[in-house]
Amino acid sequence: MWGGAVPPDVAQAVRGRHLWVAGHGGLLGSALMRALAGGEAKVLTAPRADLDLRDAGAVERWVGEARPEIVILSAAAAGGVAHNLAAGEALFADNLAIAQAVIGACGRAGVPRLLYVASAAIYPREAPLPTPESALGSGPPDPSMAGYAHAKLAGIALCEDWSARAGLHYSAVAPCNLYGPGDRFEEGRSTVLAALVARAVQAQATGADELVVWGTGTATREFLHADDAATALLTVLARSQGPGLVNVGSGEDTPIAVVARLAALAAGFEGRIVFDPSKPEGAPRKRLDTARLRSLGWAPQVALAAGIDGLVADYRARFSPASPPGFREGP
């Protein structure tokens, strides 16, 4: 019954339709699967082992056989600031290949509706705050996220091209930092919130005196639980008319120092929190203008503190507290 979170008209928009969640095993894809569970959409999936979304020929064949009517392209190669700085070229190549393969195959097959998941990283470092959709293209993205961001910008351009050229309804959303069950906790690969949770749990488990946080702690980020993001995407599918971009966020930005304290509290860590300004922290502030999304009748339901409590529980359920973050699963 959609967990009670998806309004009837949103459910009606996908009822009986073949809806492909491309990237269903990822953080956002898993949340979409939870939101769609028990509903009446005919959900299509393609496990990574069976379909490499970077392989244009394979995707073309799969789309031709499965014949989806609606596609949510949530698949992405992503990571935190450290991973983006170290692997920017690979992230650009992988995300561009995914966008070209999936959007192109769907366009050529005449799939009428596609929603592409971009990222808040597409906006310029000096964009106004809160950042409106109109800021797109007003400057280059933050250098720390350049490879990933430029690939996502290309995906948006592909959606615009297919909408204009073929009369298809291909649009995009730009979510803020997402977190939730199934998040990545690997050191150097995770986003900031998952990394802080992993370090806090490890510090508590090992009796460490300090919890080290990258940067000064003054940078702010906007966080949204993946389950809230999933209902936002389904709301955009049902209620947004025509092509274009819609920001998806909580509407609140929180200093990293505050997030670190919330992670420490949730993990039961009682030592000192130490900031390392020699480490990168990306743009000083990020917060999206979500007026367009809220005008569709959507609002987030999961408070950040409660969401972090859940993230700590998810980490402890999936990994041994005696091992380095994310490298060895517990029993």
Side-chain angles (χ1 to χ4, degrees):
M1 295 293 293
W2 304 79
V6 180
D9 68 302
V10 176
Q12 178 62 37
V14 299
R15 182 165 292 137
R17 310 287 294 280
H18 289 85
L19 191 159
W20 178 25
V21 179
H24 72 282
L27 173 63
L28 179 55
S30 297
L32 284 162
M33 296 299 290
R34 289 192 293 273
L36 292 163
E40 297 182 26
K42 298 177 181 178
V43 181
L44 305 174
T45 60
R48 184 181 302 179
D50 298 335
L51 180 63
D52 183 346
L53 296 180
R54 299 167 299 181
D55 185 335
V59 173
E60 190 100 29
R61 290 189 293 273
W62 189 91
V63 169
E65 294 170 1
R67 302 183 65 82
E69 299 169 89
I70 302 172
V71 175
I72 302 178
L73 177 46
S74 65
V81 171
H83 185 53
N84 276 275
L85 287 170
E89 182 178 357
L91 288 172
F92 174 78
D94 285 346
N95 284 291
L96 180 60
I98 291 169
Q100 288 180 306
V102 176
I103 298 171
C106 290
R108 286 185 289 275
V111 176
R113 183 72 170 102
L114 182 145
L115 185 62
Y116 175 65
V117 181
S119 166
I122 60 176
Y123 291 115
R125 180 185 178 96
E126 304 303 329
L129 294 173
T131 304
E133 291 89 350
S134 59
L136 183 67
S138 61
D142 188 279
S144 66
M145 302 288 285
Y148 176 73
H150 282 295
K152 290 296 184 179
L153 286 166
I156 294 172
L158 286 170
C159 289
E160 292 173 344
D161 179 67
W162 278 106
S163 294
R165 183 160 50 88
L168 302 171
H169 186 177
Y170 288 11
S171 59
V173 292
C176 66
N177 289 270
L178 304 182
Y179 70 96
D183 219 329
R184 299 188 68 164
F185 292 105
E186 295 93 334
E187 187 72 25
R189 295 293 299 274
S190 57
T191 55
V192 60
L193 182 49
L196 286 172
V197 162
R199 291 176 197 165
V201 173
Q202 290 296 320
Q204 188 276 333
T206 59
D209 295 326
E210 296 181 347
L211 171 62
V212 179
V213 180
W214 282 24
T216 63
T218 59
T220 68
R221 292 293 180 268
E222 181 179 10
F223 299 98
L224 184 69
H225 196 280
D227 287 341
D228 279 336
T231 59
L233 265 60
L234 294 172
T235 299
V236 170
L237 272 178
R239 297 177 179 172
S240 178
Q241 301 300 316
L245 179 66
V246 178
N247 286 338
V248 173
S250 63
E252 298 179 356
D253 57 333
T254 306
I256 296 302
V258 173
V259 178
R261 287 195 291 272
L262 289 172
L265 180 65
F269 173 73
E270 297 179 350
R272 293 183 298 135
I273 297 175
V274 179
F275 298 93
D276 184 354
S278 70
K279 293 292 196 285
E281 59 184 354
R285 290 191 66 192
K286 287 186 179 181
R287 179 161 60 96
L288 297 173
D289 182 340
T290 56
R292 183 171 296 177
L293 174 62
R294 288 176 181 267
S295 73
L296 301 176
W298 174 91
Q301 301 298 313
V302 182
L304 181 59
I308 291 176
D309 286 344
L311 198 58
V312 167
D314 181 59
Y315 180 92
R316 285 177 167 152
R318 293 166 53 203
F319 301 104
S320 166
S323 67
F327 285 101
R328 188 177 70 212
E329 292 198 2

